[in-house]
Amino acid sequence: MAVYPNDHIQKAAAFFTKEIDRLSKRPVRLMEVCGTHTVAIFKAGIRNLLPEQVELVSGPGCPVCVTPSSYLDTAIAYSRQKGVIITTFGDMLRVPGAKSTLSEQRAAGADIRIVYSPLECIDIAKNNPMKKVVFLAVGFETTAPVAAATIIAAENASVKNFFVLSAHKRVPPALKMLLANGDVNVDGFLLPGHVCAITGESPYHFLAEQYHIPAVVTGFSAIDILQAIYTLVKQIETGEALVGNQYKQVVKPEGNPHASRILDQVYGKADAVWRGLGKIANSGLELRSNYTSFDITNDMPIDVPNQPEHSACRCGEVLRGKITPRECLLFGKTCTPEQPVGACMVSVEGTCAAWHRYGTWRWQG
Amino acid sequence: MCLAVPAQIISRDEMLALVDMDGIQRSVSVMLLPDVKQGDFVLVHAGFAMQLIDEKEAEFTMGLLKELAEHGSLPE
């Protein structure tokens, strides 16, 4: 597989940085939608390479961050039920519900297991036939097909004690909502490469067509991101607005049609609640009628009281790119990666966590 | 959460494939990418091969970077 030689990368990075500087005539705000991009941007120090007038803001593209605390409260309630094993990706463990976290429940004796792949849940279910195994199905279009395929695999293997607690979400409706509300003032988007690996780029054409905002699907290396910023700045300065793809080695125009078909077989579109953003039409996925037997909320309905989220936490405004984490009174004080109050501080891909870990806020006073 | 890593298919058996992930061998599902074959490079996420990595496109990108490094400009 192709490996970029270091000297080419350095020279290319210098070229893109210089060109961005030369082309930028006015202040622009670019939103990186994906949490993995947020971390890559901080790790590579890209903010420091950009001229002052090019501002990068983070969007709602961290699935852990946008999972509402009511979902965590429900997951915690199931973890307290006798005969239930909760399985989850590791990054959900410390996300705060209204009063507790899965991590605290595990310390108190709940059977909560971290899995690398949901396929592991099928073996756990086979090995624990008297228990119900509940997978916390969270994630965007990259991850949702994985859960859908696991459900099909469980059905094919006649595993009856595997369930999901589903909170999958779709990225485009969230961006549409942000723009329709006039909530964000963004001149260009860096689009999530791995989400687009499944969906292709066409679900984002509305950005250029309806809002005349350019967008680029991009990868996760520093050079990928710098090149994408260069392309966006160039378009903004010439008044163009196109949705481009700079991650063609992975993102095909049609995405992964097979994965999309499997997703569509198991899940249909539904409204969904996003932490900090509220309910967004058609932004979620719910199990289709043929698969509702895999929904734990059907198999074992449970009443979870609705609790308000922490009132001072400003994750919602951070996710909309309206404020930087530093503008939240809790940031770095009562809310730290060690003691997070909001989900944006918990997830390694969260904007607040990235600012806390890599930001220069400490030295700016 | 959407993190994905490149891997090369070493062998496959029905819907499972053995892949090499930067020197580590792992079994991944190819349910979402059923047409892959031995030798292919794929992107792996949460134990599933998600998409084929197009080597020609990767080489094309590398070619652009090389051109940029040598001539200091991108072809229009």
Side-chain angles (χ1 to χ4, degrees):
Chain A
M1 191 166 42
V3 175
Y4 303 156
N6 264 337
D7 62 326
H8 292 172
I9 290 176
Q10 279 172 16
K11 283 182 185 165
F15 169 83
F16 289 130
T17 312
K18 205 174 85 200
E19 282 299 291
I20 292 166
D21 208 20
R22 187 180 68 83
L23 289 170
S24 304
K25 303 273 191 305
R26 60 200 165 100
V28 293
R29 270 162 68 85
L30 308 178
M31 179 176 269
E32 86 270 1
V33 176
C34 171
T36 313
H37 276 150
T38 302
V39 174
I41 285 165
F42 271 104
K43 268 189 178 167
I46 286 177
R47 281 165 191 268
N48 299 335
L49 296 176
L50 298 176
E52 212 167 79
Q53 64 269 31
V54 178
E55 187 189 357
L56 289 180
V57 290
S58 306
C62 159
V64 177
C65 305
V66 297
T67 301
S69 71
S70 59
Y71 176 87
L72 269 307
D73 291 339
T74 307
I76 287 165
Y78 278 113
S79 79
R80 287 177 174 156
Q81 300 296 306
K82 208 167 167 251
V84 168
I85 300 172
I86 299 285
T87 54
T88 178
F89 295 131
D91 43 7
M92 293 299 289
L93 272 196
R94 291 170 63 240
V95 182
K99 286 186 179 154
S100 177
T101 63
L102 289 163
S103 184
E104 285 163 3
Q105 295 304 310
R106 189 157 78 153
D111 193 347
I112 299 171
R113 305 184 191 185
I114 295 172
V115 290
Y116 158 73
S117 165
L119 274 183
E120 294 166 44
C121 305
I122 294 180
D123 288 332
I124 295 172
K126 282 180 181 168
N127 293 335
N128 295 276
M130 304 307 285
K131 295 192 170 175
K132 293 177 194 284
V133 175
V134 181
F135 175 62
L136 304 186
V138 171
F140 294 131
E141 293 94 329
T142 325
T143 315
V146 163
T150 304
I151 287 169
I152 291 172
E155 187 181 48
N156 291 345
S158 300
V159 173
K160 306 280 186 209
N161 60 330
F162 167 72
F163 302 92
V164 295
L165 180 63
S166 191
H168 287 301
K169 291 187 170 56
R170 304 170 56 237
V171 176
L175 299 188
K176 205 172 268 189
M177 187 276 277
L178 289 181
L179 291 169
N181 284 2
D183 226 8
V184 288
N185 181 17
V186 169
D187 304 294
F189 285 98
L190 300 170
L191 297 176
H194 292 151
V195 165
C196 294
I198 302 296
T199 65
E201 63 201 57
S202 61
Y204 297 91
H205 283 164
F206 76 93
L207 294 171
E209 287 162 8
Q210 282 178 37
Y211 295 95
H212 198 73
I213 297 179
V216 182
V217 180
T218 188
F220 299 89
S221 72
I223 204 74
D224 287 336
I225 293 167
L226 277 174
Q227 187 175 3
I229 295 170
Y230 159 77
T231 309
L232 289 176
V233 168
K234 201 166 148 186
Q235 286 196 59
I236 293 163
E237 290 300 335
T238 55
E240 269 184 310
L242 298 167
V243 175
N245 178 8
Q246 275 180 203
Y247 198 30
K248 286 185 180 157
Q249 59 267 46
V250 168
V251 177
K252 317 288 180 286
E254 70 283 8
N256 178 342
H258 191 81
S260 295
R261 266 197 302 278
I262 285 184
L263 179 61
D264 194 45
Q265 180 185 332
V266 177
Y267 283 100
K269 290 174 191 165
D271 297 347
V273 177
W274 296 53
R275 188 187 285 249
L277 304 181
K279 189 188 266 192
I280 304 176
N282 283 322
S283 69
L285 294 164
E286 68 181 5
L287 290 166
R288 290 193 187 276
S289 54
N290 287 354
Y291 294 94
T292 47
S293 60
F294 287 96
D295 185 345
I296 190 65
T297 64
N298 270 349
D299 184 81
M300 189 195 250
I302 204 165
D303 193 26
V304 183
N306 214 349
Q307 308 247 25
E309 291 178 14
H310 195 293
S311 58
C313 172
R314 297 181 74 185
C315 269
E317 289 160 276
V318 170
L319 292 166
R320 292 198 295 269
K322 291 194 85 168
I323 63 163
T324 65
R326 283 190 69 204
E327 291 169 70
C328 175
L329 287 177
L330 305 182
F331 179 77
K333 298 182 181 84
T334 45
C335 185
T336 63
E338 293 72 34
Q339 291 284 331
V341 174
C344 296
M345 188 61 95
V346 180
S347 169
V348 289
E349 295 185 349
T351 308
C352 297
W355 272 72
H356 199 277
R357 189 160 292 129
Y358 304 106
T360 53
W361 60 276
R362 288 185 193 82
W363 299 280
Q364 287 169 354
Chain B
M1 186 174 274
C2 296
L3 204 63
V5 291
Q8 187 173 25
I9 308 274
I10 299 170
S11 61
R12 70 171 280 187
D13 179 21
E14 305 261 318
M15 284 298 153
L16 285 178
L18 186 67
V19 299
D20 179 286
M21 217 179 260
D22 209 13
I24 299 162
Q25 295 197 352
R26 268 203 120 115
S27 173
V28 303
S29 169
V30 293
M31 273 180 82
L32 300 175
L33 205 61
D35 296 332
V36 290
K37 53 189 189 309
Q38 191 185 347
D40 283 345
F41 283 94
V42 293
L43 203 64
V44 172
H45 168 66
F48 283 76
M50 305 295 292
Q51 186 55 287
L52 209 58
I53 298 174
D54 191 325
E55 277 191 88
K56 280 195 187 123
E57 284 293 348
E59 275 165 20
F60 177 73
T61 308
M62 192 180 73
L64 281 183
L65 285 184
K66 189 168 175 246
E67 201 162 321
L68 189 54
E70 283 166 4
H71 305 291
S73 65
L74 276 180
E76 288 300 320

